[in-house]
Amino acid sequence: MAGGGFHGSDWRTGPHALSMEGYQEGMSRYWGEVNPSYEKGMDEGDNWRREIPQYKDERQHSGYGGEGRQHSGYGGEGRQHSGYGGDSRRYNGYSGDSRQYSRYDGDGKNKAYRDVDTESIDLQPDYEDLPDNANGFHDSRDGPGRMQNRDIGDQQNEYYSEGRIPEQNKAFDNEGFQREDNGDADARPEVFSRRNRSLYRKHSQKRSTGVSYTDHLQTIVQRRKQARTNISELGFSGRKSVINNHYDDLNDDFDDRLPSNRNKRTKSLKNRLNTLKHDREDLSTHDQAAALRDTTRDKILSHQDSGFGYEQKKYQLAKKFSSFKNWAKSWIYQLELWSGAFKVIEGHFGTSTVSYFRFLRWLMFLNLSLTVFMMFVVLVPFLTVGVGGDGANSFTDSVNSCTSKYHYEAIYHSTNYTSSFEVKNTSKVSTQSFVDVLQGTGWMENTVLFYGAYFNRTTFSETPFVYNMALAYLCAVGVGYLISFVLLVKNSANGMKESVLTSTSGGMSLYCNKVFGAWDYCIVRKKTAKLKHKSVWQEIQNELEYQRLQWKKESRTTREKVKLYVIRVLINLLVLAILGGALYLIYFTNEKLAELQHRTDLNKTVKLVLEFLPSITITLLSVIVPTIFNKLVTAEDYMPAFAIRITLIRTVLLRLSSVGILMISLYATLKGLAPSLDVSPFYQASCGVSTAPTNMSDPEGNWTQVNNETESTDKKPNIKCWETYVGQQIYKLVFLNFIVVIAVTFVWEFPRKLMYKKFHKRFKLVNLLGLQEFDLSKSVLDLVYLQTLCWIGMFFSPIIPGMCLITCFIFFYIKKASLLTNCIPTQQYGTSKSNSLFMMVLLLSFFLAIIPISYMVGKLHPSQGCGPFRVYSRDNYIMFDVVSNMVDEWPSKARSTFYFMGTAGFMAVMGLLLCMLMYYFWLVGQAHHKMSKGLREQLKVEGQDKQFLVARLHETFEFEAEVSS
Amino acid sequence: MGGSQSVFTEQELTDYQELTYFTKKEILHVFKRFQQLNPDAVTKDKNAKLGKDEILELPELKVNPFRDRICQVFSSSKDGNMTFEDFLDMMSVFSDNAPKNVKVEYAFRIYDFDEDDMISSKDLKEVVDKLTGEQQLPEEDMQQLIDNIFEEADLDDDDSLSFAEFEHVISKAPDFVNSFRIRL
């Protein structure tokens, strides 16, 4: 407070005359248009101001008569200006800046304040020469003493109490009051001004001792920032009404575009709360009216027509929407699965490990949606649409055998198929049923779990209703893929955006990432924190070491280089060999399985093992081979990040190609099946229809099931329904995968932990083995593998997504328990990289899964003895015919459009269009890239400019100092 | 929940919700955590100001190398003591829903040890020292690291990072957003 007088003098003498001219300009413009009711408001604002004791004090200090109180009303600002009054005397350019800030200040708050503001400033320098149009309102202040002012104030109070003043003015009082209140209550400006002054003093001391240019530069930058902070904090402390709030926001946005205002700090919650409270307390009809008046005046001032009513409506709508969003969010927060578990894991193992669990959860939700979809489109209709009255679960009851040749064929083969495993079923012992569950054979085979059981269901009433199961089945699978694809792309796009952003703008900032992104704020455990410290230290050291190595790389001799490259080539060859060997092993076991399956001279246990042979091989290989890869990569002497990536790529290659080879070997096994018996003579005989004999033999091998008669002489296995067979294979794999993970956890990981705990002090070997580390990439690949199986198996067994769902759910708890009890934290990956990498791998596996499925739908003949596609509509029937049959029933226009879309001409045009679009976006990307490059250059040049200017300034100081001394 | 529900009026909760990145339920949860730090004082007066030592009892802060700075930055009285509002503000900034630019701003303030609105090489040195904990980087390694960072981030060659430069470089440091958060 005591500084008032000082500031007053600063106001008058400081170089602010410059800025005041600016104010005056604004002023006169304003006074030309001001309306009289507003002046009354002004007076009362004044009146309020006098009621506050603080201001009385200040007035006494100010020694500036009438203006004192106006001044004090904006004491905060006044002081603040004086704060850099001293500066601006030196730096003229800077004083220009300050003008700009003041303008900003005025804009930022309610217009009414600005008017008061400008007015009060106007009074100071030109006290004597007040313009004539400063009418009665000014006169009241011009009076020689405070007493008179008070009198007028009293008069106005009377006036007020008589109720003659419109209500709005009352609201305006509040505004005035609060404005001042905030300005002073913070008492911050004083501190700042003091700080500025001390800085200035320091600065002048430094100047005399001669400091470097950069020091000067920093001081300037510092000051500039402080000034900015001061202003932004002050400017917004005023009350905001609902509508003005909106306008403020607009102004905010506008001002954010000024580079000088961009760094405005976010206010603390306390400040924000205060502001909000003021908002609410004053939110009455008065305020609405006041706000209305203000905005109307603004409109006049700015000569603009802003759709006020519309804006308000829009604002209200936005508000409603945001409250709805909050409501929804609070529900979702409740529903969020496992968030507590995430927190625990994060606290113990850091964010990168949690990304595995997030991935797991994401997969679970994906599988959930697939399961639900399959259930509602396939399973529920199939079970509900009854067959006649008895609801017998049999295809033969549902159709008339003599409808067509294909119906007859289907019935013939179906009977064949069902009777074949009824024979098998009757020869069952009770232990067999457990084995059946494991294998998906026996009683499970002809249930809704597998493809084979489905057929078109018809009700035998007057209006026969057929649920087109074939179409529904195909659609369910197709839409399931579509859902997966959309979700996948959406999820991986997030990661892509990040990685593209970092790669186009000069790459990721490696070291900044290492330093500023290093600490995981989620860590809660002391031990983990200690490890984190260590790993950060290690990482930084490695990175620096690597950099030094790079520097030295040129000095590597030719001999060393040759040696390294030879090693690398050899290891890559070895990796290829291992991969090839592993793949052949898978193929071989599958072949053997098909061959041995129907041999009767084998022991039961041996047979069971045989059944699982391919699955066991795949699972074992996926455990063993990655460990070999891990060891091999160390010999190759890559940089650490690259080593991790290349191991991952190799492992992915193994996993996906093993699935691929499984498909191929299945295909090879099934393709060699004997052609089915031509049943057309039976059909003719039983239904009495004569048809031209059709040639059933197919050039590429017939995919219908073998006949009983031919089977006995054939060496090939007895597979009646190849779709179900494939389904069983995948079912087994999923089942085994599940069992292996559980087994590994309980048989290997848990005992290892126990062993380490008990013996690590006594035996060196145990100590060497150490504790389990959580192998992120392996675990993720397990999941990817599971999901690939799910996508492939979905077609053959609609229940597989459900199985995967359950597997994911159980995995979560098992993995979590294992992690928390058995594992020690590791730092393997950058968090950000891993997630997008997982998604890319998953996307790859998705394509791998849909290729065989789409080939099958478009090329292969479905079994005639089972499944929804068993009734052919033509020879050489494929599954996709279901769709084309449906299209054929459409009106001709739609049909021709559909067929046109399949023509080569259409495809070519679309392809061309896509290419052009891609080219366009590539060009845009290039342009942006170029622009960012240019901007960076410009920034550099400007930095140099700044340094140059500071150098000049410094010279000027020196010169001045010399002159004054 | 019932107990803490009565602590705040509906109005207060709405206010808080509007000003933070939390929902009402989350705010109550934050309050619970705040209460755990000093049950007696907070139960008596929900606006109680907890000392820095008490705030640092929060598990996430306890092991955080920048705990002192965090308290300093979020304390409205600038002495490291926090009221519930400060605490809520802090949790809101660290929450998942807080936008990146808010996080970057507070990170800048946290890493700006001498509060001169610039991250100088001295600040950087302090940051790295705190990060590595007991293990210290050798002098020349430190210098090399700092040089590298300035090489990447210091666009105007003044050997310190301004907020704009910091913001820019963080946009290229993808790990930041993932790590700069505290889960409720």
Side-chain angles (χ1 to χ4, degrees):
Chain A
M1 293 299 159
F6 170 76
H7 294 308
S9 71
D10 242 20
W11 270 107
R12 273 165 287 144
T13 55
H16 266 279
L18 236 178
S19 59
M20 279 162 201
E21 276 166 28
Y23 280 122
Q24 277 165 10
E25 270 172 37
M27 250 289 295
S28 52
R29 188 165 59 99
Y30 166 68
W31 280 113
E33 283 150 350
V34 73
N35 51 1
S37 77
Y38 173 57
E39 287 162 29
K40 279 173 199 155
M42 282 299 307
D43 277 6
E44 282 183 8
D46 210 36
N47 200 14
W48 270 98
R49 217 174 283 145
R50 269 188 291 120
E51 302 286 318
I52 308 162
Q54 280 167 307
Y55 291 119
K56 286 181 193 156
D57 283 348
E58 197 145 279
R59 248 176 294 151
Q60 278 152 19
H61 280 295
S62 71
Y64 210 76
E67 293 91 62
R69 75 202 123 82
Q70 284 140 5
H71 193 149
S72 64
Y74 293 86
E77 250 162 81
R79 259 170 284 163
Q80 176 202 329
H81 278 298
S82 71
Y84 48 95
D87 296 343
S88 35
R89 230 172 302 167
R90 308 276 161 205
Y91 315 118
N92 276 328
Y94 192 35
S95 124
D97 267 356
S98 79
R99 232 189 320 160
Q100 185 194 333
Y101 296 141
S102 325
R103 198 173 350 119
Y104 162 70
D105 194 13
D107 279 348
K109 54 184 192 270
N110 194 320
K111 285 281 198 299
Y113 304 143
R114 182 175 70 179
D115 298 328
V116 179
D117 201 5
T118 49
E119 198 262 336
S120 70
I121 291 156
D122 175 51
L123 283 172
Q124 286 153 23
D126 304 304
Y127 184 68
E128 247 61 62
D129 323 308
L130 268 175
D132 280 347
N133 61 357
N135 40 30
F137 164 51
H138 275 271
D139 289 344
S140 71
R141 293 168 178 208
D142 277 357
R146 265 167 275 142
M147 284 313 289
Q148 196 185 332
N149 270 335
R150 191 164 285 166
D151 288 345
I152 290 170
D154 287 344
Q155 279 167 23
Q156 269 164 355
N157 271 344
E158 284 164 31
Y159 193 48
Y160 188 56
S161 58
E162 279 167 42
R164 266 181 281 164
I165 288 183
E167 291 266 80
Q168 300 103 299
N169 289 338
K170 234 193 275 176
F172 195 77
D173 293 350
N174 286 342
E175 281 174 27
F177 170 69
Q178 269 155 10
R179 167 82 187 108
E180 292 150 14
D181 191 24
N182 285 333
D184 255 350
D186 285 345
R188 227 182 260 133
E190 203 181 21
V191 181
F192 278 123
S193 81
R194 211 181 292 140
R195 197 163 156 190
N196 267 343
R197 251 180 289 143
S198 71
L199 265 173
Y200 175 62
R201 224 174 284 132
K202 226 192 271 168
H203 180 75
S204 37
Q205 277 164 12
K206 268 187 184 172
R207 195 182 61 199
S208 54
T209 51
V211 275
S212 71
Y213 293 158
T214 37
D215 273 319
H216 281 288
L217 175 74
Q218 273 167 5
T219 335
I220 293 170
V221 173
Q222 232 166 32
R223 260 178 224 189
R224 208 180 268 202
K225 279 193 170 154
Q226 247 161 27
R228 214 177 295 144
T229 322
N230 295 355
I231 286 175
S232 62
E233 277 177 15
L234 278 166
F236 286 90
S237 48
R239 186 197 71 95
K240 296 172 182 177
S241 70
V242 172
I243 297 142
N244 281 343
N245 208 347
H246 181 65
Y247 278 80
D248 278 343
D249 288 345
L250 286 182
N251 285 329
D252 266 349
D253 289 345
F254 170 74
D255 284 297
D256 272 351
R257 261 175 271 151
L258 294 174
S260 48
N261 290 328
R262 210 171 282 152
N263 300 339
K264 211 170 44 182
R265 280 188 169 187
T266 312
K267 283 187 286 183
S268 74
L269 181 68
K270 206 171 178 180
N271 286 1
R272 276 181 280 151
L273 195 68
N274 276 338
T275 318
L276 188 79
K277 273 191 183 144
H278 286 307
D279 279 3
R280 195 157 292 112
E281 277 163 19
D282 302 340
L283 197 64
S284 56
T285 36
H286 313 158
D287 296 287
Q288 298 261 2
L292 186 71
R293 193 199 56 211
D294 289 346
T295 38
T296 324
R297 198 181 56 238
D298 288 347
K299 235 193 290 181
I300 297 165
L301 277 176
S302 57
H303 297 289
Q304 261 177 9
D305 283 328
S306 57
F308 165 66
Y310 169 70
E311 295 282 339
Q312 195 186 17
K313 267 231 173 80
K314 211 169 89 181
Y315 180 75
Q316 277 170 353
L317 262 179
K319 193 143 195 180
K320 256 185 203 157
F321 179 68
S322 78
S323 77
F324 169 74
K325 233 170 46 185
N326 274 331
W327 176 82
K329 230 170 69 183
S330 73
W331 270 100
I332 289 168
Y333 168 73
Q334 262 190 331
L335 290 178
E336 199 187 344
L337 190 63
W338 295 333
S339 56
F342 283 157
K343 188 181 155 48
V344 173
I345 295 163
E346 227 166 28
H348 286 66
F349 292 90
T351 25
S352 62
T353 310
V354 138
S355 66
Y356 165 78
F357 286 91
R358 287 185 170 277
F359 186 65
L360 182 59
R361 189 178 66 170
W362 186 83
L363 279 184
M364 205 189 75
F365 282 122
L366 175 73
N367 283 331
L368 181 70
S369 57
L370 287 182
T371 311
V372 168
F373 196 77
M374 284 304 265
M375 256 178 61
F376 278 97
V377 179
V378 174
L379 202 62
V380 172
F382 182 75
L383 293 178
T384 48
V385 179
V387 184
D390 56 350
N393 187 17
S394 149
F395 171 67
T396 39
D397 297 344
S398 73
V399 287
N400 189 347
S401 63
C402 290
T403 317
S404 76
K405 186 189 87 171
Y406 300 113
H407 276 87
Y408 183 79
E409 273 177 15
I411 287 173
Y412 178 84
H413 289 300
S414 305
T415 331
N416 203 341
Y417 173 56
T418 35
S419 65
S420 84
F421 66 58
E422 257 157 28
V423 171
K424 263 196 262 168
N425 263 5
T426 47
S427 65
K428 280 285 125 70
V429 275
S430 59
T431 50
Q432 189 66 27
S433 67
F434 173 69
V435 178
D436 283 341
V437 172
L438 288 185
Q439 300 182 359
T441 51
W443 64 271
M444 282 184 90
E445 196 169 332
N446 200 28
T447 57
V448 287
L449 294 181
F450 291 104
Y451 167 92
Y454 292 89
F455 53 88
N456 272 335
R457 290 206 126 170
T458 319
T459 45
F460 279 155
S461 52
E462 271 84 69
T463 50
F465 170 74
V466 181
Y467 185 80
N468 194 345
M469 183 52 75
L471 188 63
Y473 201 93
L474 208 60
C475 281
V477 174
V479 174
Y481 285 142
L482 206 69
I483 291 173
S484 317
F485 184 67
V486 168
L487 286 176
L488 257 176
V489 167
K490 204 177 144 256
N491 208 335
S492 54
N494 292 338
M496 281 289 274
K497 232 189 309 187
E498 279 289 312
S499 66
V500 165
L501 199 73
T502 49
S503 66
T504 48
S505 58
M508 201 175 74
S509 47
L510 186 71
Y511 297 98
C512 284
N513 199 25
K514 281 258 155 31
V515 171
F516 295 125
W519 191 259
D520 201 331
Y521 282 67
C522 298
I523 292 175
V524 292
R525 223 168 51 154
K526 239 195 173 113
K527 214 168 160 188
T528 318
K530 220 171 189 173
L531 269 165
K532 183 86 195 176
H533 280 306
K534 204 167 178 182
S535 83
V536 168
W537 179 74
Q538 194 65 45
E539 257 178 70
I540 290 175
Q541 283 235 316
N542 283 348
E543 214 53 66
L544 294 174
E545 188 62 37
Y546 178 71
Q547 194 187 28
R548 280 193 288 262
L549 269 178
Q550 288 284 81
W551 291 340
K552 275 184 209 157
K553 206 170 186 176
E554 287 79 35
S555 59
R556 217 183 241 171
T557 61
T558 333
R559 202 167 159 191
E560 281 171 330
K561 264 189 205 165
V562 168
K563 200 176 144 199
L564 190 67
Y565 287 138
V566 167
I567 288 177
R568 281 184 188 177
V569 168
L570 280 179
I571 285 180
N572 272 316
L573 283 178
L574 188 62
V575 166
L576 279 182
I578 292 174
L579 267 179
L583 295 187
Y584 181 72
L585 203 63
I586 295 168
Y587 186 80
F588 176 77
T589 47
N590 244 343
E591 284 271 274
K592 268 272 168 282
L593 169 72
E595 211 181 290
L596 294 174
Q597 225 167 15
H598 66 288
R599 272 177 60 176
T600 46
D601 55 339
L602 287 170
N603 190 329
K604 250 200 184 125
T605 1
V606 176
K607 227 176 174 179
L608 179 65
V609 173
L610 263 182
E611 279 291 325
F612 275 95
L613 201 58
S615 323
I616 290 173
T617 319
I618 290 177
T619 318
L620 270 184
L621 282 176
S622 66
V623 173
I624 297 164
V625 176
T627 19
I628 300 174
F629 286 165
N630 262 336
K631 291 278 172 295
L632 282 178
V633 86
T634 47
E636 282 178 287
D637 197 25
Y638 288 121
M639 60 178 281
F642 186 73
I644 288 170
R645 201 166 299 173
I646 198 151
T647 325
L648 191 72
I649 288 170
R650 283 168 183 169
T651 321
V652 168
L653 218 62
L654 172 81
R655 275 300 173 93
L656 296 188
S657 56
S658 62
V659 176
I661 213 81
L662 179 78
M663 297 313 293
I664 290 171
S665 66
L666 277 174
Y667 179 83
T669 317
L670 295 167
K671 191 175 163 151
L673 293 179
S676 80
L677 189 75
D678 188 358
V679 291
S680 46
F682 299 105
Y683 172 59
Q684 283 161 20
S686 63
C687 293
V689 187
S690 72
T691 48
T694 46
N695 184 17
M696 284 294 287
S697 62
D698 198 297
E700 55 172 313
N702 205 312
W703 277 75
T704 51
Q705 81 285 8
V706 275
N707 192 284
N708 263 338
E709 281 79 14
T710 50
E711 185 238 351
S712 52
T713 51
D714 194 9
K715 257 176 70 187
K716 288 292 172 188
N718 175 20
I719 298 165
K720 304 256 178 207
C721 181
W722 61 269
E723 290 97 339
T724 301
Y725 179 75
V726 176
Q728 282 166 346
Q729 299 302 313
I730 290 164
Y731 173 86
K732 269 189 278 186
L733 280 174
V734 173
F735 211 93
L736 197 72
N737 191 33
F738 176 69
I739 289 173
V740 164
V741 167
I742 292 177
V744 163
T745 307
F746 287 102
V747 179
W748 168 240
E749 288 179 359
F750 192 58
R752 181 173 166 182
K753 157 92 176 177
L754 283 181
M755 206 163 74
Y756 181 81
K757 230 177 168 180
K758 288 229 161 123
F759 301 116
H760 79 279
K761 276 174 192 149
R762 266 180 275 170
F763 300 105
K764 225 175 179 179
L765 190 72
V766 179
N767 211 1
L768 204 70
L769 196 65
L771 273 171
Q772 177 89 19
E773 283 185 4
F774 185 69
D775 190 346
L776 186 65
S777 63
K778 198 191 146 294
S779 311
V780 166
L781 279 177
D782 277 340
L783 287 182
V784 170
Y785 171 69
L786 180 72
Q787 195 56 40
T788 316
L789 287 182
C790 170
W791 277 320
I792 295 175
M794 209 164 88
F795 187 91
F796 304 105
S797 162
I799 213 70
I800 280 186
M803 277 176 72
C804 291
L805 171 73
I806 296 166
T807 311
C808 284
F809 190 75
I810 296 173
F811 266 22
F812 185 89
Y813 288 102
I814 288 179
K815 283 278 177 188
K816 188 189 143 207
S818 153
L819 188 73
L820 292 179
T821 52
N822 301 338
C823 294
I824 51 168
T826 46
Q827 298 295 332
Q828 258 196 337
Y829 276 97
T831 329
S832 55
K833 266 175 280 169
S834 48
N835 210 7
S836 61
L837 202 66
F838 300 162
M839 280 297 158
M840 289 320 285
V841 172
L842 199 62
L843 202 62
L844 195 73
S845 73
F846 176 74
F847 286 120
L848 190 95
I850 60 165
I851 286 169
I853 298 292
S854 46
Y855 175 77
M856 186 193 72
V857 169
K859 260 283 189 279
L860 302 182
H861 306 300
S863 305
Q864 274 183 306
C866 60
F869 302 96
R870 64 181 98 179
V871 181
Y872 282 24
S873 62
R874 62 180 175 100
D875 297 337
N876 297 336
Y877 179 78
I878 52 169
M879 293 177 192
F880 194 71
D881 278 345
V882 172
V883 178
S884 29
N885 285 345
M886 185 192 64
V887 171
D888 282 339
E889 287 164 19
W890 285 358
S892 62
K893 278 251 173 73
R895 194 170 57 211
S896 55
T897 325
F898 183 82
Y899 282 124
F900 171 70
M901 285 205 288
T903 56
F906 181 76
M907 288 290 177
V909 169
M910 282 314 279
L912 260 177
L913 262 177
L914 275 179
C915 281
M916 273 170 67
L917 212 67
M918 261 163 68
Y919 183 64
Y920 168 75
F921 281 116
W922 180 77
L923 276 186
V924 169
Q926 287 294 309
H928 282 309
H929 189 52
K930 221 173 187 174
M931 198 161 82
S932 82
K933 236 182 188 170
L935 283 173
R936 208 172 305 144
E937 281 300 307
Q938 197 182 338
L939 206 62
K940 250 190 190 140
V941 172
E942 267 176 19
Q944 284 162 3
D945 279 359
K946 204 160 84 181
Q947 277 173 328
F948 175 76
L949 281 175
V950 171
R952 291 285 88 75
L953 273 173
H954 183 71
E955 274 172 27
T956 324
F957 290 146
E958 302 272 89
F959 180 70
E960 229 177 67
E962 266 173 41
V963 167
S964 60
S965 66
Chain B
M1 260 305 156
S4 37
Q5 198 118 40
S6 56
V7 172
F8 299 105
T9 61
E10 191 60 26
Q11 186 60 55
E12 275 174 320
L13 279 179
T14 317
D15 288 355
Y16 285 142
Q17 177 173 298
E18 207 162 300
L19 294 171
T20 60
Y21 303 101
F22 285 133
T23 63
K24 285 176 190 172
K25 288 212 170 61
E26 287 169 315
I27 288 163
L28 290 175
H29 194 94
V30 171
F31 182 71
K32 251 192 202 162
R33 293 202 72 178
F34 185 67
Q35 209 167 14
Q36 278 162 11
L37 298 175
N38 186 348
D40 299 335
V42 179
T43 316
K44 220 182 280 167
D45 173 20
K46 71 175 173 3
N47 292 321
K49 185 173 267 188
L50 296 190
K52 195 171 164 183
D53 305 337
E54 287 164 314
I55 294 292
L56 289 181
E57 281 299 303
L58 189 77
E60 277 91 348
L61 290 185
K62 206 170 182 180
V63 296
N64 196 312
F66 305 110
R67 50 186 173 262
D68 295 325
R69 285 297 305 155
I70 294 173
C71 280
Q72 193 70 27
V73 165
F74 285 99
S75 160
S76 57
S77 50
K78 296 291 164 209
D79 52 3
N81 300 338
M82 281 196 194
T83 61
F84 172 63
E85 277 164 20
D86 297 334
F87 187 76
L88 182 63
D89 199 16
M90 178 179 82
M91 294 308 268
S92 159
V93 168
F94 281 118
S95 76
D96 276 338
N97 293 326
K100 191 172 180 178
N101 55 352
V102 171
K103 283 176 186 279
V104 170
E105 185 189 323
Y106 279 95
F108 183 80
R109 284 201 228 168
I110 287 169
Y111 295 143
D112 179 15
F113 279 82
D114 51 10
E115 297 191 334
D116 62 350
D117 276 332
M118 286 288 201
I119 294 183
S120 58
S121 59
K122 230 174 79 196
D123 293 326
L124 274 179
K125 200 163 173 292
E126 197 116 359
V127 169
V128 176
D129 273 343
K130 296 235 158 172
L131 271 178
T132 54
E134 292 158 14
Q135 306 87 2
Q136 292 291 320
L137 277 185
E139 193 55 41
E140 66 260 38
D141 278 8
M142 180 69 84
Q143 198 50 49
Q144 193 187 343
L145 179 65
I146 288 171
D147 287 347
N148 283 331
I149 288 172
F150 281 143
E151 177 79 18
E152 278 174 356
D154 186 20
L155 296 168
D156 58 3
D157 288 331
D158 60 355
D159 278 340
S160 54
L161 303 183
S162 68
F163 177 65
E165 285 163 350
F166 184 74
E167 202 178 17
H168 177 71
V169 83
I170 287 297
S171 75
K172 294 196 289 177
D175 281 348
F176 171 77
V177 180
N178 288 320
S179 59
F180 196 76
R181 60 195 169 86
I182 293 178
R183 202 180 290 278
L184 260 187

